[in-house]
Amino acid sequence: MGNATWLDDHEQRVWRGFLRANAWIYDELEHDLRAQAGLTLIEYGILVHLSEAPKQRMRMRRLADSVIVSKSRLSHQIARLEQDGYVHRTHCDDDRRGLWAVLTEEGETALRKAAPGHAEKVRSLLFGRLSKAQITQLGAILDALGAVENGDSPVTSRDTQEL
């Protein structure tokens, strides 16, 4: 391994704790959304991003960057959401190869039903366990890592800086 610099004991403990917490929160949210709304966490994220977009539609590439998945995984998730009537795809007038993902009324209804329970679960798993000062610190840490959605996050940029 050459001159690899290993994490010290404290860094290793924090890193592993971060990974455990991230996996635990993700798994809990995924299980809860499936049980309560029949949606995966990624599908829920897709519906949220579409609901917030102008005309409730986004280019598939931009949507993939926003929900932090590959284009092929997004295509699979969109196909499932289309089957359920929550989303439909349309061709872009200005780019024959491009597609829009568009939120349907059924998708908006499903999101409205799922959102309150999801928000409560996020509060119970994360924000309810932290003081206001810790929440502020966590926000500052995520800002420093570029992980907060601000339009130019290095965490989510691949080929484009758009979110």
Side-chain angles (χ1 to χ4, degrees), residues 36-136:
Q36 302 305 320
L39 295 168
T40 66
L41 192 53
I42 290 173
E43 291 165 346
Y44 179 83
I46 290 168
L47 296 180
V48 167
H49 279 70
L50 290 175
S51 75
E52 296 170 345
K55 298 182 183 180
Q56 296 188 315
R57 68 181 192 168
M58 290 178 78
R59 294 286 297 260
M60 292 287 286
R61 175 59 185 217
R62 185 166 173 226
L63 184 56
D65 287 342
S66 295
V67 294
I68 313 171
V69 296
S70 67
K71 287 192 302 182
S72 62
R73 176 129 191 230
L74 178 68
S75 292
H76 172 74
Q77 298 298 328
I78 291 290
R80 180 170 145 29
L81 290 168
E82 273 186 310
Q83 246 179 352
D84 292 341
Y86 297 160
V87 171
H88 69 86
R89 286 182 266 201
T90 60
H91 287 281
C92 298
D93 292 336
D94 58 335
D95 179 3
R96 291 195 183 273
R97 294 178 303 151
L99 290 173
W100 291 102
V102 183
L103 184 67
T104 65
E105 284 184 42
E106 293 88 353
E108 191 173 3
T109 299
L111 180 59
R112 263 191 264 114
K113 287 181 182 176
H118 178 68
E120 185 54 38
K121 191 69 171 179
V122 169
R123 267 189 210 97
S124 73
L125 295 173
L126 182 62
F127 299 114
R129 295 167 180 260
L130 302 174
S131 69
K132 289 192 183 297
Q134 289 171 322
I135 293 169
T136 299

